[in-house]
Amino acid sequence: MSPEFAQEFGASIDFDQAMAAEDIEGSIAHVTMLGSTGILPQGDVNQIKAGLQEIAQELQDGTLDEFTIANEDIHMNIEAILTAKIGPVAGKLHTARSRNDQVATDFHLWVTHRLPEVITAIDKLQGVLIQLAEAHTDTILPGTTHLQHAQPISLGHYFMAYFNMLQRDKERFEFNIKHASVSPLGAAALAGTTFPIDRQQTADLLGFQAVYSNSLDAVSDRDFAIEYLTNSSMLMMHLSRLSEELIIWASYEYQYVELDDAYSTGSSIMPQKKNADYAELIRGKVGRVYGDLMSLLTVMKGLPLAYNKDMQEDKEGVFDATTTIMGSLHVMTGMLQTLHVKDDHMAAAVQNDFSNATELADYLASKGLPFRQAHSVVGQLVLKGIQEHTALQDMPLSELQAASDLIEEDVYHDLDPRVAVERRTSFGGLPSPRSRRRLLRERNC
Ligand code: ARG
């Protein structure tokens, strides 16, 4: 292997430069602590700190020198830039530190910084789902199991199911902060250091909630990143299910919804086409996030403690998953905000689909007929209805009574799909105004 190829194969600067701001932040905290503990003279500390602050400013302004592959990774690149600025005193920055705790610190910071952004984006999507649920409490559509019409439900009920799924996602990301916001800085290479460092001080300066209590664990742990990818995978799975339903609902056969032009594309050859490209892309992008998770799980599974170069493979998947989940949340939020619901098509779909068969069985059961028998009576009526193209509510009373003399005129009230939805007041059924208010309260706390 040529030295050039070895350098390229071993380098991570192409991707770990995404952590440049975190690397500088970590170094500023570290050198501040080296000063306050008297490990370095204050004069050196001031010089190093000023140099790092200048680099941070240049990074922000976009005027920083180009990173180079000759310096392998972001840590050595920043140190090289610092050395060019302030001279050999820059070399004192690495006292009582190793790249092993440095990279772990950067990565923890990076994930800790992203988590609130992800949570805010989920929250925004939940806000749109609540609005849709509020607007569509009275919009009726067929609820399905096995994708077969089952019972009528309200569209508001449906949207709130996704709200709840996202609530769990949010809680998982919130919990993730507990494991990401832990400082490995000061673990040094693996065994701690002989210098009288103050790990609590650097953790406080960096805003970490806790400090790793075992230096070996500190430099070896990537669980927080695996958790992040697990949570991202679960979130994408949810967004994919929602996408799938929107794609089906936007099809000619269903026509339950129409996607806004901004969220669909035409065909170059078929003028009538309106493709749900963006929903399909969200569904498709789940694959890469699952891949990111499997990749890191596999990288970590055989690693002895402590740092191994394999761990350089931990970052790209996390960066990629972040871009993917943030993009997907953004697209889904806009897509739902602009969604046109065709409530007339939804209502028509519950008229002749026998999705009120359970109502008739419940009606008979409430009049004392054992439910199994009621189910069989209704089954025969449905069969007849299918053969004669007559919905249950359109059968004359005499015909219904021939099946069971328990049936009276009031049955037609219960067979109305709208009534069927409104009567499902058991806990977890139709979100009543009261339960909707409770959900809103929960969301705000
Ligand atoms: N670029 C490395 C990574 O991303 C930094 C840590 C290197 N440490 C070491 N001992 N080689 O993991």
Side-chain angles (χ1 to χ4, degrees):
M1 155 164 96
S2 70
E4 294 76 29
F5 183 76
Q7 185 178 68
E8 202 184 314
F9 194 77
S12 54
I13 187 61
D14 277 356
F15 54 87
D16 67 12
Q17 56 182 279
M19 306 191 305
E22 283 77 12
D23 193 73
I24 300 165
E25 201 185 336
S27 289
I28 291 176
H30 181 66
V31 77
T32 304
M33 181 277 293
L34 292 179
S36 68
T37 50
I39 297 170
L40 287 188
Q42 201 53 49
D44 292 348
V45 170
N46 292 345
Q47 244 185 301
I48 294 170
K49 231 166 139 172
L52 287 168
Q53 274 154 355
E54 211 179 295
I55 296 174
Q57 191 59 53
E58 287 173 11
L59 178 72
Q60 218 179 16
D61 300 343
T63 55
L64 192 62
D65 287 352
E66 289 262 307
F67 298 126
T68 148
I69 201 166
N71 290 325
E72 190 182 321
D73 60 20
I74 188 59
H75 325 295
M76 302 216 284
N77 268 278
I78 298 284
E79 195 175 323
I81 295 170
L82 184 67
T83 308
K85 270 193 195 307
I86 64 172
V89 68
K92 295 192 177 187
L93 169 63
H94 215 52
T95 312
R97 185 177 78 169
S98 150
R99 260 195 303 159
N100 299 348
D101 59 339
Q102 189 180 356
V103 69
T105 302
D106 293 5
F107 199 28
H108 275 77
L109 276 178
W110 195 90
V111 173
T112 306
H113 290 165
R114 294 297 83 74
L115 283 166
E117 296 170 7
V118 175
I119 290 164
T120 303
I122 297 176
D123 206 62
K124 209 168 153 205
L125 176 54
Q126 282 185 300
V128 177
L129 284 166
I130 289 232
Q131 276 170 12
L132 283 168
E134 288 278 346
H136 291 288
T137 312
D138 296 330
T139 306
I140 309 285
L141 78 158
T144 63
T145 63
H146 312 267
L147 209 58
Q148 302 288 330
H149 288 208
Q151 294 171 354
I153 56 169
S154 95
L155 185 58
H157 194 181
Y158 166 91
F159 282 128
M160 287 315 285
Y162 277 99
F163 175 93
N164 286 4
M165 289 148 84
L166 289 169
Q167 184 66 20
R168 291 192 293 274
D169 287 323
K170 211 165 70 175
E171 286 167 13
R172 271 185 285 272
F173 280 112
E174 275 159 4
F175 187 76
N176 205 168
I177 297 175
K178 182 176 193 288
H179 291 159
S181 185
V182 185
S183 177
L185 193 56
L190 77 166
T193 169
T194 54
F195 288 99
I197 57 169
D198 183 348
R199 293 191 56 205
Q200 188 60 52
Q201 191 191 340
T202 46
D204 289 344
L205 285 170
L206 292 170
F208 281 122
Q209 290 175 2
V211 179
Y212 274 95
S213 62
N214 182 308
S215 63
L216 285 172
D217 185 33
V219 286
S220 307
D221 177 30
R222 294 297 183 269
D223 295 358
F224 68 100
I226 295 176
E227 280 176 25
Y228 179 78
L229 292 172
T230 305
N231 299 341
S232 301
S233 296
M234 197 95 86
L235 167 67
M236 286 305 288
M237 180 266 285
H238 290 155
L239 296 182
S240 177
R241 293 181 71 172
L242 182 50
S243 297
E244 169 77 0
E245 303 215 65
L246 292 175
I247 293 162
I248 294 175
W249 286 5
S251 68
Y252 181 78
E253 286 73 14
Y254 275 75
Q255 299 187 52
Y256 286 181
V257 295
E258 190 177 337
L259 297 171
D260 189 77
D261 284 352
Y263 293 93
S264 43
T265 56
S267 156
S268 51
I269 180 165
M270 298 162 283
Q272 86 285 8
K273 288 272 255 173
K274 206 167 170 188
N275 298 327
D277 278 23
Y278 296 95
E280 289 170 15
L281 263 178
I282 293 174
R283 190 177 57 182
K285 281 178 187 287
V286 178
R288 61 195 300 150
V289 178
Y290 287 2
D292 294 332
L293 170 63
M294 286 319 295
S295 155
L296 188 52
L297 278 170
T298 312
V299 165
M300 296 306 294
K301 85 172 192 43
L303 293 190
L305 302 181
Y307 180 84
N308 300 269
K309 187 73 167 175
D310 314 45
M311 289 159 84
Q312 184 165 289
E313 292 291 315
D314 61 358
K315 293 172 234 8
E316 282 166 290
V318 168
F319 298 160
D320 174 69
T322 303
T323 309
T324 309
I325 61 174
M326 291 304 279
S328 300
L329 284 166
H330 182 66
V331 170
M332 184 57 86
T333 303
M335 192 151 59
L336 289 184
Q337 249 162 356
T338 54
L339 188 71
H340 175 58
V341 173
K342 296 179 166 177
D343 36 6
D344 49 337
H345 280 86
M346 288 187 175
V350 289
Q351 281 314 312
N352 302 311
D353 64 347
F354 295 96
S355 62
N356 52 359
T358 314
E359 305 322 301
L360 186 51
D362 284 354
Y363 175 91
L364 290 170
S366 68
K367 295 211 167 189
L369 194 65
F371 186 79
R372 294 287 185 208
Q373 254 173 278
H375 183 278
S376 151
V377 168
V378 179
Q380 280 156 24
L381 278 171
V382 168
L383 201 63
K384 197 157 181 278
I386 291 171
Q387 280 160 359
E388 293 170 7
H389 303 288
T390 314
L392 293 173
Q393 68 274 23
D394 297 330
M395 291 181 183
L397 188 59
S398 55
E399 196 176 331
L400 295 172
Q401 281 172 336
S404 169
D405 54 12
L406 292 170
I407 299 178
E408 292 169 78
E409 182 69 40
D410 62 352
V411 74
Y412 293 107
H413 172 261
D414 285 19
L415 289 178
D416 179 348
R418 205 161 285 282
V419 172
V421 170
E422 272 157 22
R423 289 184 65 224
R424 278 184 164 63
T425 51
S426 59
F427 182 76
L430 169 78
S432 63
R434 190 146 49 91
S435 58
R436 269 188 285 138
R437 267 200 300 279
R438 180 173 53 78
L439 284 164
L440 282 165
R441 247 202 332 275
E442 278 174 8
R443 181 172 174 267
N444 292 334
C445 70

